Amino acid sequence: MSILATCLGYPRIGAARELKYALESYWSGKRTAADLLQAGYDLRRRHWSAMKSAGIDHIPVGDFSLYDHMLDAAVMVGAVPQRYQAIADPLTRYFAMARGYQDSKGLDLSALEMTKWFDTNYHFIVPELERTQKFSLNAAKLYAEIEEARRLGIESRPVIIGPVTFLLLSKLQDGKTQDAIPLDLLGDLLPVYKRILHELAEREITWLQIDEPCLVLDLDDRAKAAYRLAYAQLAECPSRPRLLLATYFGALEDNLSVAIQSGCDALHIDLVRHPEQLSALLEVLPSSMCLSLGVVDGRNIWRTNLDVARAMVNRAVLSLGAHRVWVAPSCSLIHVPVDVQSEQKIDADLMSWLAFAEQKLTEVCQLADGGRFDDPIAPHVLASRAMRAAKAQSSRIHDSEVQKRIQGVTEADLHRASPFADRHRVQHARFKLPLFPTTTIGSFPQTGDVRSARAAWRSGRMTAEEYKAFLKKETRVCIEKQEAINLDVLVHGEFERTDMVEYFGEHLKGVAFTEQGWVQSYGSRCVKPPVIFGDVSRSSSMTVEWSTYAQSLTRRPMKGMLTGPVTILQWSFVRDDVPRKDVCRQIALALRDEVADLEQAGLAMIQVDEPAVREGLPLRRAEWRSYLRWAVDAFRLATSGVRDDTQIHTHMCYSEFGDILEAIAEMDADVISIETSRSRMELLGDFIRYQYPNAIGPGVYDIHSPRVPTKEEMANLLVHAGKILPPTRLWVNPDCGLKTRGWPEVQTALINMVGAARVARRQFGEERFG
Ligand code: ZN
């Protein structure tokens, strides 16, 4: 019997983002529900047949989703919060949960919360459960897809989210604390899962994939007990398919015994992230279990080292026998684009290094076919070796100048010349800003005009000169508006940037762009991450021209605006032949040069945004320290080369920072602007507990909603902040960039914000001098 080639999930958005367009035209009323469902079916059919013709033996079904797989799971177990029940049509109700809903009769429902799926850039919908939640089975979608596949001659391996991961990732309607994790509901949920198993057995399904990625996290005893209880019950079901327990994104480590004692019939492990798991597993895997080897990287876009993967397959075959070994991607392929063949502009070298979903499935099949250790070496293995040998030598990748500079980095390069207190003093003397200085985060509204000018320039309808003149005018108007609003520290508005990472990627050596390399971020939203393939350096300055132009238009301080090294790393596909921390350091060095050029050009304040620092945290706490060390060092390397009287700003948003405040303090930015308005400044409590030493601008204006905050409410927030933190170290700003907002609301909100700062100044100024 040969080794099985399997797949945990296929990218559902479509090679040409068909699902995105189908969804958006349905939402805008241009197409009917039937059109949308047909588009979904067309994609599934295409994806199944792609997997079948690649040679995949276990083809996933149920991994497709119109919006999100956790939302599908919530619907499947009947966890639809009461407030959405008012909507009768199931599809409308489904999208109401995903995106909120308003109708002419006054029904106004907010969407469910969304958060990041483990350490990926995919966002899932967080199921919301009541303390007395009752579950009920509603697996119509799954069963319909199984039938569809069957009619097409595809024998499927259905995929569902496991009960424990489902509960661990859900939230209780009325709580956020640790005990509010809804594990207590397990007893009520399990009957629904048992019912699914039974009904799948009736449908003659042989294998069911149950995803339990939470098994790679640090689990407390309660969660481990929940796992034991759940799988003891599921395994004992009298009528059920065979169960594949799927784990990915990390190692089982201390949860290993839970997994192997689960009673499941197969276990999938991620051997790309943690190849060392294999030895441990081969020793302890019960003879009743097959092992699915995740040896092809589902999270990155490089071709697999077939020799390394093949060695792992061979070891498993020697120890377990071929009939107990499967080959698979490390995780679902939704985290990579569909097909590298769609790329027209990538050069042949780089092309030969890349593998998107289609290429990865071919690799899986090659590994399953050529898994026998005594087989002659197959041509694709030889080709893989030749490619790697060429790559190891390629001057596109290896830049001795960059490596020399990296070698030369010293501890002193990671430190500002003087401590914050001294810098604070000289900066105060230089800028003479009032108490509670006001500023914004960087971008101003990217209006339809800006977007159409960019489109016109890209398609050649506008010349580069015309486009540049247009951007200059936008920048000038933006600065005039900021002066009229009376902000103290200005920004240029970022009209020349579509995206804060793409812009820098386009200007850095060692970074490439795809045309069709789309990956789903959430719902219909996709991102096209830059590809960092080689040593990174800067060929020329990236932002100096825009920043100096902007500074020339005003006497007020203008902030130079850069994206930080960790954020560029985090939102890209990163080369896997050197450690991530080394890549991050190279980006930091390139940014350090940019910072120096900005300073040289007269920019006295430079902001280096790091919104992604928190999301880069490893899944296991034991690895946090070392990550935070190199992440903080990269930021410091980028920013520490400046004079004492040059003021370094940073900005962070999107997540809760309470547990990494010490690291944030170590970044030693003179000023940090941070998202707090939605958590009502709770974060400030953490800043006091850690005695955050430098200046902070807690976001007082929530830019995620079109709502205009009043002067009074922002003044209250500032006064509150001024009572718990020294007023001399407080700044006043929105909680993120204003790119997605409209000008009228932004102008009113900022006028109110400047008014609020005046209120706070009066209050604390009098206290200070009175
Ligand atoms: Zn932000």
Side-chain angles (χ1 to χ4, degrees):
M1 196 166 149
S2 65
I3 299 171
L4 292 183
T6 70
C7 174
L8 275 62
Y10 192 93
R12 51 202 176 212
I13 203 77
R17 288 181 293 162
E18 291 87 341
L19 181 59
K20 172 193 178 69
Y21 298 116
L23 283 167
E24 289 173 359
S25 46
Y26 165 72
W27 291 334
S28 68
K30 286 194 210 103
R31 285 172 70 183
T32 64
D35 294 336
L36 173 63
L37 298 178
Q38 180 66 39
Y41 172 70
D42 291 343
L43 284 167
R44 288 191 293 277
R45 190 181 49 190
R46 197 200 302 161
H47 299 162
W48 291 329
S49 84
M51 285 185 273
K52 190 172 179 179
S53 50
I56 296 294
D57 299 298
H58 279 188
I59 294 179
V61 164
D63 58 326
F64 180 84
S65 175
L66 284 175
Y67 201 93
D68 167 53
H69 52 266
M70 278 295 283
L71 179 58
D72 293 355
V75 171
M76 185 177 78
V77 301
V80 175
Q82 192 58 41
R83 61 181 182 279
Y84 302 101
Q85 311 275 359
I87 303 174
D89 173 55
L91 194 60
T92 311
R93 195 190 310 131
Y94 177 83
F95 288 126
M97 291 162 77
R99 318 171 62 230
Y101 179 86
Q102 284 175 320
D103 70 11
S104 52
K105 291 182 225 114
L107 192 56
D108 184 358
L109 302 172
S110 58
L112 292 175
E113 220 176 82
M114 193 166 67
T115 194
K116 280 168 72 75
W117 179 243
F118 296 84
D119 57 356
T120 72
N121 283 330
Y122 177 79
H123 301 72
F124 71 95
I125 300 281
V126 181
E128 193 179 292
L129 308 176
E130 290 167 27
R131 276 185 196 276
T132 55
Q133 181 74 43
K134 290 286 160 268
F135 298 100
S136 59
L137 181 59
N138 171 22
K141 170 187 175 287
L142 181 64
Y143 299 158
E145 289 176 13
I146 291 171
E147 281 315 309
E148 270 174 16
R150 215 162 245 170
R151 279 197 297 275
L152 295 166
I154 307 277
E155 268 319 306
S156 59
R157 180 173 89 188
V159 185
I160 60 175
I161 294 285
V164 183
T165 291
F166 178 78
L167 291 178
L168 287 173
L169 299 184
S170 296
K171 64 172 234 184
L172 280 180
Q173 252 161 17
D174 55 355
K176 263 198 153 179
T177 60
Q178 197 52 24
D179 354 304
I181 291 173
L183 275 181
D184 298 339
L185 297 169
L186 184 62
D188 299 299
L189 180 60
L190 283 176
V192 174
Y193 273 83
K194 289 192 213 167
R195 183 91 217 145
I196 302 176
L197 297 197
H198 175 72
E199 294 186 0
L200 288 173
E202 282 186 330
R203 284 173 169 74
E204 293 177 13
I205 291 297
T206 332
W207 279 99
L208 171 67
Q209 173 185 327
I210 303 194
D211 283 5
E212 287 285 7
C214 284
L215 277 172
V216 308
L217 304 181
D218 296 319
L219 296 177
D220 58 16
D221 291 344
R222 195 159 154 253
K224 285 184 187 163
Y227 266 112
R228 292 188 191 277
L229 173 82
Y231 283 86
Q233 291 204 19
L234 295 184
E236 272 165 26
C237 280
S239 107
R240 63 163 175 87
R242 280 186 266 175
L243 302 178
L244 162 65
L245 182 65
T247 68
Y248 39 82
F249 302 150
L252 285 162
E253 292 176 14
D254 53 329
N255 303 325
L256 177 67
S257 65
V258 173
I260 58 173
Q261 290 161 15
S262 63
C264 291
D265 309 275
L267 174 66
H268 174 85
I269 50 170
D270 185 335
L271 292 173
V272 172
R273 280 285 179 87
H274 287 276
E276 77 290 348
Q277 291 199 86
L278 183 60
S279 306
L281 263 153
L282 292 179
E283 267 170 40
V284 297
L285 196 75
S287 58
S288 57
M289 269 183 146
C290 298
L291 190 60
S292 166
L293 310 175
V295 287
V296 169
D297 196 348
R299 291 285 297 275
N300 213 334
I301 48 159
W302 308 107
R303 284 195 179 267
T304 304
N305 181 332
L306 291 177
D307 282 303
V308 169
R310 195 163 176 260
M312 287 195 275
V313 176
N314 286 342
R315 274 189 63 202
V317 169
L318 268 180
S319 147
L320 308 175
H323 63 293
R324 286 175 63 205
V325 175
W326 305 353
V327 179
S330 58
C331 59
S332 164
L333 295 172
I334 60 167
H335 309 293
V336 294
V338 176
D339 189 358
V340 87
Q341 299 299 336
S342 330
E343 299 299 323
Q344 306 294 327
K345 293 197 182 140
I346 291 187
D347 62 272
D349 269 355
L350 186 53
M351 270 299 255
S352 73
W353 304 338
L354 297 177
F356 294 176
E358 284 295 314
Q359 289 69 40
K360 287 174 187 291
L361 291 174
T362 305
E363 291 178 337
V364 165
C365 295
Q366 288 170 341
L367 285 161
D369 284 345
R372 279 170 51 96
F373 55 91
D374 51 356
D375 282 345
I377 296 166
H380 55 261
V381 176
L382 295 175
S384 153
R385 280 183 199 168
M387 181 276 281
R388 270 179 288 124
K391 195 174 166 200
Q393 302 294 325
S394 168
S395 57
R396 301 269 312 277
I397 295 188
H398 308 282
D399 182 335
S400 54
E401 281 305 306
V402 174
Q403 282 155 18
K404 214 178 326 152
R405 280 197 70 194
I406 290 283
Q407 298 287 315
V409 172
T410 63
E411 181 63 25
D413 295 333
L414 307 178
H415 297 272
R416 296 286 295 269
S418 309
F420 173 76
D422 299 349
R423 300 184 326 246
H424 194 55
R425 204 170 330 105
V426 291
Q427 289 167 16
H428 184 70
R430 180 174 185 186
F431 301 120
K432 301 190 177 61
L433 292 171
L435 275 183
F436 294 95
T438 53
T439 190
T440 62
I441 307 302
S443 58
F444 268 87
Q446 294 239 337
T447 56
D449 282 357
V450 175
R451 285 197 304 270
S452 27
R454 185 178 299 126
W457 163 64
R458 288 220 162 124
S459 68
R461 279 176 285 124
M462 197 186 239
T463 65
E465 291 73 53
E466 286 166 341
Y467 179 54
K468 198 161 177 187
F470 168 84
L471 292 176
K472 281 188 155 180
K473 189 197 83 211
E474 288 296 308
T475 306
R476 194 177 63 239
V477 171
C478 176
I479 291 169
E480 283 162 10
K481 285 181 177 160
Q482 294 175 72
E483 290 196 322
I485 293 165
N486 205 13
L487 289 158
D488 300 304
V489 171
L490 310 194
V491 297
H492 75 281
E494 300 181 27
F495 301 105
E496 77 287 10
R497 305 180 190 178
T498 34
D499 176 278
M500 62 188 292
V501 167
E502 186 177 55
Y503 182 81
F504 291 92
E506 280 169 351
H507 289 79
L508 288 169
K509 264 174 71 182
V511 184
F513 284 84
T514 61
E515 288 170 277
Q516 294 295 330
W518 295 101
V519 177
Q520 188 177 27
S521 170
Y522 63 90
S524 68
R525 293 293 194 98
C526 300
V527 292
K528 195 151 62 70
V531 177
I532 303 180
F533 63 88
D535 288 340
V536 176
S537 62
R538 190 189 69 143
S539 19
S540 58
S541 79
M542 306 183 276
T543 63
V544 173
E545 195 183 337
W546 283 112
S547 288
T548 42
Y549 171 69
Q551 182 66 83
S552 75
L553 300 173
T554 178
R555 296 169 64 97
R556 301 181 193 219
M558 172 67 54
K559 291 191 280 190
M561 194 60 64
L562 306 174
T563 301
V566 183
T567 299
I568 293 180
L569 184 84
Q570 203 55 36
W571 293 348
S572 301
F573 284 123
V574 182
R575 61 193 287 198
D576 61 357
D577 56 341
V578 293
R580 284 171 76 81
K581 67 172 202 283
D582 296 0
V583 180
C584 195
R585 192 162 259 221
Q586 293 179 357
I587 304 171
L589 264 187
L591 290 168
R592 184 181 175 96
D593 295 346
E594 186 73 14
V595 168
D597 284 356
L598 285 168
E599 179 181 62
Q600 184 71 37
L603 276 296
M605 295 185 182
I606 299 165
Q607 179 171 314
V608 180
D609 292 328
E610 283 288 28
V613 161
R614 173 72 175 73
E615 66 184 57
L617 275 181
L619 295 174
R620 296 274 192 172
R621 237 174 212 276
E623 294 159 33
W624 282 21
R625 261 178 89 90
S626 71
Y627 161 77
L628 287 170
R629 181 73 268 140
W630 62 255
V632 167
D633 282 352
F635 181 87
R636 294 170 67 131
L637 180 59
T639 54
S640 295
V642 294
R643 303 193 311 244
D644 282 352
D645 66 351
T646 296
Q647 190 168 68
I648 295 291
H649 290 235
T650 190
H651 164 69
M652 288 183 197
C653 54
Y654 299 134
S655 31
E656 291 174 16
F657 296 97
D659 46 7
I660 60 161
L661 270 176
E662 267 164 305
I664 294 178
E666 276 188 57
M667 289 165 68
D668 200 24
D670 295 304
V671 184
I672 179 169
S673 59
I674 196 156
E675 177 180 318
T676 53
S677 60
R678 280 189 295 180
S679 59
R680 300 230 170 67
M681 303 247 160
E682 279 158 26
L683 187 64
L684 287 186
D686 296 322
F687 272 86
I688 306 161
R689 265 192 296 287
Y690 281 96
Q691 304 198 328
Y692 184 77
N694 302 4
I696 313 169
V700 289
Y701 158 21
D702 175 4
I703 63 92
H704 303 84
S705 123
R707 187 175 165 276
V708 172
T710 64
K711 178 172 104 176
E712 288 67 33
E713 68 185 85
M714 288 188 277
N716 285 342
L717 289 175
L718 290 174
V719 169
H720 172 69
K723 286 184 180 147
I724 54 183
L725 288 163
T728 48
R729 287 201 256 128
L730 280 168
W731 282 63
V732 182
N733 45 259
D735 66 357
C736 195
L738 300 164
K739 189 164 134 176
T740 56
R741 299 265 64 95
W743 267 111
E745 78 209 42
V746 160
Q747 271 170 302
T748 324
L750 291 179
I751 288 168
N752 292 350
M753 189 184 87
V754 168
R758 232 177 272 125
V759 173
R761 273 170 210 160
R762 262 199 307 277
Q763 171 137 356
F764 292 98
E766 276 157 27
E767 269 174 27
R768 205 160 56 134
F769 302 113

